Amino acid sequence: MGEEQINVETLIHARWVIPVAPDNRVLEGYSIAIQHGRIHDILPTEQAREKYQAEIEHELGSHALIPGLINAHTHASMSLLRGLADDLPLMTWLNDHIWPAEGRWVNEEFIADGTRLAVAEMLRGGTTCFNDMYFFPDITGLVSSAAGMRAVIGLILIDFPSAWANDADEYLHRGIEVHDQFRNNGLITSAFAPHAPYSVSNAPLERVRTLADELDIPIHMHVHETAEEIAQGLENFGTHPLDRLHDLGLVSPSLAAVHMTQLEEDEIARFAETGASVVHCPESNLKLASGFCPVGRLIDAGINVAIGTDGAASNNDLDMFSEMRTAALLAKGVSGDASAVPAATALRMATLNGAIALGIADETGSLETGKAADITAVDLGTLETQPLYHPVSHLVYATGRDKVTDVWVAGRQVVNHGVLTTLDQNEILSHAAEWNRKIAEIDELLEFT
């Protein structure tokens, strides 16, 4: 007589399970058992059918199960500014178009509608967690949590006033309130998010360093994004921005430095010694002609490199499959080394490395027992993915977000056969169309066309 079956909430049977940790492992004919929102077991499908009885069972015979993708740098609600001011260099784009548009339109309603649009796009594309930097982070957190999506919300800090706060004191005070608001939320964590070295002065940055240590949360910041930023740092402070951040004590394992396209060899070596992470945004950097992050050299130096899309206003999408492919191809082209970023490395950058950069690797980023069941199912049984010799290669080089069929966050199915289960797609589209109409009526913001 066989042993009595164990009851679990969900069983997912797949052609492949690609856990990411340990590296380069592909499990064929495996299943994942989910209980209480966590991965209870990963085992061969034949054994899973004998051992477990599930309330819900999924048969995904042509799919790969991967960790939910982690978008390590976003400005989520800027999805409402998608395509507003394209084909411009960063500072022109910011000063002449984006900042004026934000000054006119950014309020709680804009943030809520823009975040819902972004969350819907990301979930449908297999992204289960994003790291955000924008105004009204409390609204971003509420919208994301209600949609069942994991997020690290940035406690924004910038030297000029906005609809969110008037000065550094208020930015930091409100940021700490937001951190406390979500302290016990299972999906939402926070990070200090000073905008950039050129937009935040020394005294507020010193306070961020102290507060981040006290609260034990990461720091998320644009760093060395353009050559102009370096020149400006030399002119205003007599040193490179990264050196200034070192002097202020911000470069530590808690720092996620975004972009990093302008780096010298000694800066890479010094950065590697600190344990800080880099967030690579390849497509945004290419579109804004900001430069090339030397990803291959960073990895060789032992630096943790994650991937982000940046905002949809400068990308113009939130597609992490596309970013993985671009990151891998760009690294090869820049270095002249076809092995610079292999497919497995690109997948790790988009999953576990992101979790490490955001301080949540104990919770998510890989498919391991005990971790949250943040899982993306990708159909590799289509015409576009045949024949199939190496599933990880196909995930990076041959497939795309359109092949994502099902997504779970903390065990909750948020995408079911391509359909959002926690968000109303028609309502999101209606709100986006209304913002499109309002913003397009303001002629002075569209002069570049």
Side-chain angles (χ1 to χ4, degrees):
M1 192 171 182
E3 292 184 16
E4 186 175 346
Q5 287 185 307
I6 300 168
N7 292 319
V8 292
E9 292 163 3
T10 306
L11 264 179
I12 312 170
H13 308 298
R15 174 72 184 277
W16 300 278
V17 172
I18 300 168
V20 172
D23 288 337
N24 298 311
R25 193 171 184 199
V26 176
L27 305 173
E28 187 164 3
Y30 266 63
S31 301
I32 297 180
I34 300 171
Q35 183 72 342
H36 304 309
R38 298 197 167 270
I39 297 172
H40 179 74
D41 202 353
I42 302 173
L43 71 171
T45 296
E46 188 177 331
Q47 294 178 23
R49 295 188 195 281
E50 294 176 358
K51 185 174 181 180
Y52 295 107
Q53 179 174 311
E55 297 171 26
I56 302 171
E57 204 158 348
H58 301 273
E59 302 285 349
L60 301 176
S62 62
H63 291 63
L65 300 182
I66 63 172
L69 301 174
I70 296 176
N71 189 341
H73 178 62
T74 64
H75 311 284
S77 54
M78 290 183 81
S79 58
L80 292 178
L81 302 179
R82 190 196 317 261
L84 180 68
D86 282 338
D87 306 321
L88 297 167
L90 174 66
M91 297 317 295
T92 302
W93 178 78
L94 273 177
N95 290 317
D96 297 347
H97 300 277
I98 297 303
W99 283 344
E102 289 177 335
R104 182 177 185 93
W105 296 113
V106 170
N107 57 29
E108 292 191 11
E109 183 185 9
F110 179 98
I111 301 299
D113 289 341
T115 300
R116 277 191 201 94
L117 177 61
V119 165
E121 179 182 353
M122 286 190 279
L123 287 176
R124 275 168 42 99
T127 295
T128 57
C129 175
F130 68 103
N131 179 36
D132 203 53
M133 176 193 286
Y134 212 59
F135 307 105
F136 296 95
D138 56 331
I139 304 300
T140 302
L142 290 170
V143 168
S144 303
S145 182
M149 187 171 197
R150 195 176 302 282
V152 181
I153 51 173
L155 313 178
I156 187 75
L157 173 63
I158 198 164
D159 275 348
F160 53 75
S162 69
W164 172 243
N166 290 310
D167 55 26
D169 286 342
E170 188 175 6
Y171 278 107
L172 292 170
H173 175 72
R174 297 197 70 177
I176 292 169
E177 287 184 337
V178 171
H179 168 76
D180 290 341
Q181 178 182 349
F182 292 97
R183 185 182 303 221
N184 298 314
N185 187 300
L187 293 176
I188 309 300
T189 56
S190 60
F192 279 106
H195 176 260
Y198 59 82
S199 56
V200 186
S201 48
N202 282 357
L205 288 177
E206 289 173 346
R207 291 175 63 191
V208 163
R209 171 71 275 152
T210 300
L211 290 168
D213 284 346
E214 290 177 0
L215 299 176
D216 191 26
I217 61 175
I219 299 171
H220 170 205
M221 188 177 193
H222 302 113
V223 183
H224 280 220
E225 184 171 2
T226 63
E228 185 176 350
E229 178 188 333
I230 308 302
Q232 192 176 35
L234 287 168
E235 181 180 345
N236 294 336
F237 296 95
T239 187
H240 281 197
L242 190 54
D243 289 335
R244 177 171 152 240
L245 296 182
H246 277 290
D247 293 342
L248 291 168
L250 265 73
V251 187
S252 74
S254 64
L255 177 66
V258 183
H259 299 305
M260 297 283 270
T261 69
Q262 314 291 318
L263 288 170
E264 298 174 2
E265 285 303 321
D266 62 330
E267 291 175 324
I268 293 173
R270 187 180 182 195
F271 192 90
E273 293 173 357
T274 67
S277 294
V278 169
V279 179
H280 179 35
C281 300
E283 293 185 3
S284 176
N285 292 155
L286 285 168
K287 184 166 175 282
L288 293 167
S290 298
F292 306 111
C293 177
V295 172
R297 285 186 287 149
L298 297 178
I299 292 172
D300 287 345
I303 294 169
N304 180 61
V305 182
I307 295 177
T309 59
D310 211 348
S314 67
N315 186 300
N316 290 7
D317 58 41
L318 304 172
D319 183 352
M320 284 292 289
F321 279 91
S322 179
E323 296 294 332
M324 277 196 288
R325 184 179 187 187
T326 301
L329 298 182
L330 186 61
K332 300 172 194 305
V334 167
S335 66
D337 178 4
S339 63
V341 173
T345 300
L347 179 61
R348 182 184 168 99
M349 289 165 65
T351 53
L352 185 56
N353 287 10
I356 292 168
L358 306 182
I360 54 174
D362 289 342
E363 185 73 3
T364 190
S366 57
L367 301 179
E368 300 179 72
T369 56
K371 281 194 174 186
D374 295 356
I375 304 167
T376 290
V378 187
D379 189 356
L380 297 180
T382 63
L383 282 170
E384 296 84 355
T385 52
Q386 302 308 308
L388 195 154
Y389 305 109
H390 305 289
V392 175
S393 172
H394 271 15
L395 285 167
V396 175
Y397 298 126
T399 193
R401 63 178 174 178
D402 60 306
K403 302 299 188 294
V404 171
T405 62
D406 301 88
V407 179
W408 294 262
V409 180
R412 181 185 188 185
Q413 189 167 15
V414 291
V415 178
N416 185 353
H417 291 88
V419 177
L420 295 161
T421 67
T422 61
L423 290 164
D424 185 330
Q425 180 172 321
N426 290 331
E427 182 182 10
I428 291 168
L429 288 170
S430 174
H431 285 292
E434 180 61 19
W435 281 105
N436 189 170
R437 183 192 63 77
K438 287 193 293 189
I439 293 172
E441 286 179 354
I442 307 303
D443 291 342
E444 62 268 24
L445 294 179
L446 300 175
E447 287 176 358
F448 60 88
T449 61

